[in-house]
């Protein structure tokens, strides 16, 4: 959602408020100074050696207060502040339109699937009690155990890692070593390296060497360079803080966080789920896509039936690159994005157009046409559909 205009308006309000507050303090200080001087003169009135005319003192005070004109000084800044305060709520109300139902479409969805997505989000965030409560109230209790147990195992591993205990993580990585190798992950090496460094930091060179021979040696064929660095650390047993590796990733606290993140990524991958929560991604994408949809619906206010029957939005809804999961193709001739009904087609010359453009240029495959990019003659019947 575009928040720059709201932020700018808020900055203007705070600036006016600070200016008004500063001016108010300045005026109050001026009045306070005048009153202090008058009080000093009044206190001298009882002194017979320095007679004071109280009438003239108060008359002088009245004149000075009139010259200070506190109301006049405060009026302009207060007026500017009131104007900014009046405009800001209107802008907020306009930007955060509470009636988002305008962009709603009557779409059939599987309530069971939606409930599972929500419950899975709670479990993958480690909110197990909240997930159990939701599952119970949604009447999906039979699927609770199957969704909860995998993420419960993951969080037990992560909690152990926070306590510098790598045993649960290593056991999980060893049990899934084949899958990790297939996807090109070096998580097992990282975990063994961290365990090796933990032993070494405790000052036990013999145990560290024994651990390396047992668990690191089988990985040497694919990770020789990394293991050579680890073996060099043996020379600095008990004084790794003074070693050339003290500032390296091997001893970095952030290394534990990165390995934990990699473990979560691979754990979710083996469960057939994405690293990011599907519910979180959906909500974040909706926040970006909602404003242009609401603007479009304000234009289409009298054509709600057309909106309900549309298969494709007539206006582009731009989302950030983090929400682009699949390749898309825009036909260079029609400037339209490909669809299932209008797929991208590969021509003999290697260039690609959408099917409708090819049909139009070839008069429904009745004649050849020249490629828009090169002078090759194209036979529409020999074009092949591309799958991204």
């Amino acid at each position: 959602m575009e928040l720059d205009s709201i932020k700018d308006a808020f900055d203007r309000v705070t600036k006016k408020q600070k200016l008004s507050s500063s001016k108010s303090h300045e005026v109050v200080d001026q009045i306070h100074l005048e009153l202090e001087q008058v009080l000093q003169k009044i206190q001298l009135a009882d002194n017979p050696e320095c007679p004071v005319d109280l009438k003239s003192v108060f008359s002088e005070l009245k004149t000075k207060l009139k010259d200070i004109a506190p109301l006049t000084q405060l009026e302009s800044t207060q007026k500017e502040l009131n104007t900014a305060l009046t405009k800001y709520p209107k802008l907020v109300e306009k930007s955060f339109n509470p009636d988002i139902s305008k962009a709603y479409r009557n779409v059939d969805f599987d309530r069971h699937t939606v409930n599972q997505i929500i419950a899975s989000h709670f479990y993958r965030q480690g909110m197990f009690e909240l997930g159990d409560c939701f599952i119970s109230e949604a009447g999906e209790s039979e699927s609770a155990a199957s969704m909860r147990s995998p993420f419960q195992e993951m969080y037990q591993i992560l909690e152990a890692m926070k306590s510098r205990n790598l045993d649960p993580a290593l056991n999980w990585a060893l049990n899934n070593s084949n899958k990790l190798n297939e996807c090109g992950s070096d998580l097992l090496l990282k975990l063994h390296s961290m365990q090796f460094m933990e032993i070494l930091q405790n000052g036990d060179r013999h145990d560290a060497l024994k651990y390396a021979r047992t668990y690191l040696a089988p990985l040497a064929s694919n990770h020789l360079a990394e293991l050579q660095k680890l073996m060099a650390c043996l020379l600095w047993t008990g004084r790794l803080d003074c070693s050339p590796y003290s500032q390296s990733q091997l001893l970095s606290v952030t290394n534990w966080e990165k390995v934990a993140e990699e473990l979560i990524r691979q754990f979710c991958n083996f469960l057939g789920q994405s690293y990011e929560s599907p519910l979180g991604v959906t909500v974040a994408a909706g926040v970006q896509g909602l404003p242009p949809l609401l603007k479009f619906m304000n234009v289409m206010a009298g054509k709600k039936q057309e909106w309900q029957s549309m298969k494709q939005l007539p206006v582009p809804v731009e989302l950030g690159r983090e929400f682009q999961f699949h390749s898309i193709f825009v036909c260079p001739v029609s400037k339209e994005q490909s669809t299932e009904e209008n797929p991208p087609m590969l021509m003999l010359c290697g260039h690609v157009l959408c099917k409708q453009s090819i049909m139009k240029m070839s008069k429904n495959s009745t004649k050849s046409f020249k490629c828009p990019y090169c002078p090759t003659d194209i036979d529409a019947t020999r074009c092949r559909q591309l799958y991204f």
Side-chain angles (χ1 to χ4, degrees):
M1 186 174 287
E2 186 59 53
L3 298 179
D4 290 343
S5 59
I6 297 177
K7 183 180 181 300
D8 292 341
F10 179 79
D11 290 341
R12 285 195 295 271
V13 171
T14 54
K15 183 178 179 181
K16 297 295 183 184
Q17 192 275 334
K18 289 177 181 177
L19 182 62
S20 177
S21 177
S22 176
K23 191 66 177 178
S24 299
H25 281 91
E26 181 184 338
V27 172
V28 170
D29 289 342
Q30 289 177 338
I31 296 174
H32 181 264
L33 179 61
E34 294 299 333
L35 292 175
E36 284 286 338
Q37 293 175 353
V38 169
L39 286 173
Q40 290 177 3
K41 291 178 181 180
I42 293 174
Q43 290 171 356
L44 294 174
D46 297 332
N47 189 350
E49 297 179 1
C50 302
V52 176
D53 185 1
L54 294 179
K55 187 175 181 180
S56 63
V57 170
F58 287 115
S59 177
E60 183 181 354
L61 174 63
K62 182 179 179 181
T63 302
K64 288 185 177 180
L65 290 177
K66 188 175 181 180
D67 292 339
I68 293 173
L71 294 179
T72 304
Q73 288 194 58
L74 296 175
E75 185 179 8
S76 59
T77 55
Q78 188 63 36
K79 185 177 180 180
E80 292 178 359
L81 175 60
N82 289 340
T83 302
L85 285 171
T86 302
K87 292 180 178 179
Y88 182 68
K90 294 179 179 178
L91 179 62
V92 171
E93 184 178 356
K94 181 180 178 182
S95 301
F96 295 96
N97 192 328
D99 188 14
I100 63 174
S101 61
K102 292 180 180 179
Y104 172 76
R105 295 183 65 179
N106 294 325
V107 180
D108 294 329
F109 61 87
D110 185 347
R111 187 178 297 273
H112 171 70
T113 301
V114 173
N115 288 338
Q116 284 195 318
I117 290 173
I118 297 173
S120 178
H121 173 79
F122 291 141
Y123 287 142
R124 71 187 296 146
Q125 299 299 321
M127 296 182 282
F128 297 106
E129 291 184 5
L130 184 58
D132 290 343
C133 180
F134 175 82
I135 283 289
S136 176
E137 294 186 6
E140 303 277 354
S141 302
E142 67 279 357
S143 59
S146 61
M147 287 191 292
R148 176 187 176 119
S149 57
F151 292 111
Q152 199 163 21
E153 180 188 1
M154 183 179 77
Y155 272 92
Q156 288 172 351
I157 295 172
L158 294 175
E159 287 299 319
M161 288 184 68
K162 290 179 182 179
S163 304
R164 313 289 282 195
N165 178 10
L166 290 171
D167 290 341
L170 281 167
N171 289 335
W172 179 86
L174 285 169
N175 292 333
N176 294 276
S177 58
N178 292 333
K179 293 180 180 179
L180 289 171
N181 290 332
E182 288 174 4
C183 63
S185 173
D186 60 351
L187 178 61
L188 185 59
L189 170 69
K190 291 176 180 177
L191 290 170
H192 278 312
S193 299
M194 289 164 61
Q195 186 77 310
F196 173 82
M197 295 302 294
E198 282 291 293
I199 297 172
L200 207 56
Q201 281 184 303
N202 293 331
D204 197 328
R205 182 184 298 176
H206 179 266
D207 285 350
L209 186 58
K210 182 180 179 181
Y211 185 88
R213 286 172 175 167
T214 305
Y215 298 105
L216 292 174
L219 305 175
S221 58
N222 296 322
H223 305 283
L224 183 59
E226 291 88 342
L227 296 187
Q228 286 174 338
K229 291 181 181 179
L230 292 173
M231 294 304 100
C233 292
L234 288 167
L235 300 173
W236 299 86
T237 304
R239 50 196 181 98
L240 284 170
D241 294 340
C242 304
S243 73
Y245 308 101
S246 60
Q247 303 299 320
S248 71
Q249 191 177 7
L250 293 173
L251 298 176
S252 173
V253 176
T254 58
N255 187 42
W256 284 74
E257 297 173 0
K258 291 179 180 178
V259 172
E261 183 179 330
E262 172 68 11
L263 188 144
I264 296 173
R265 190 179 299 277
Q266 296 302 335
F267 201 104
C268 292
N269 181 34
F270 296 160
L271 290 177
Q273 300 194 26
S274 62
Y275 172 68
E276 299 289 346
S277 165
L279 182 62
V281 172
T282 302
V283 171
V287 168
Q288 283 194 19
L290 186 58
L293 285 178
L294 288 175
K295 289 181 181 178
F296 171 68
M297 283 311 301
N298 287 331
V299 177
M300 295 282 293
K303 303 178 180 180
K304 193 167 184 179
Q305 291 302 321
E306 290 186 24
W307 163 246
Q308 295 292 344
S309 60
M310 285 180 182
K311 292 185 178 180
Q312 187 172 338
L313 291 175
V315 292
V317 178
E318 298 293 339
L319 297 179
R321 292 187 63 85
E322 66 272 22
F323 300 113
Q324 297 178 12
F325 302 102
H326 305 286
S327 299
I328 60 173
F329 175 75
V330 177
C331 179
V333 174
S334 65
K335 309 300 181 186
E336 294 179 352
Q337 185 174 319
S338 62
T339 63
E340 291 183 4
E341 295 77 18
N342 186 27
M345 305 292 289
L346 178 66
M347 299 183 290
L348 289 178
C349 59
H351 294 118
V352 182
L353 300 177
C354 274
K355 184 176 181 178
Q356 289 179 2
S357 297
I358 292 177
M359 291 295 101
K360 186 175 180 179
M361 295 173 70
S362 65
K363 304 294 182 183
N364 289 327
S365 303
T366 58
K367 69 170 191 175
S368 62
F369 64 95
K370 287 191 178 294
C371 171
Y373 285 102
C374 63
T376 305
D377 288 328
I378 303 299
D379 181 357
T381 60
R382 301 182 66 184
C383 297
R384 294 290 178 266
Q385 184 174 338
L386 273 182
Y387 295 90
F388 292 110

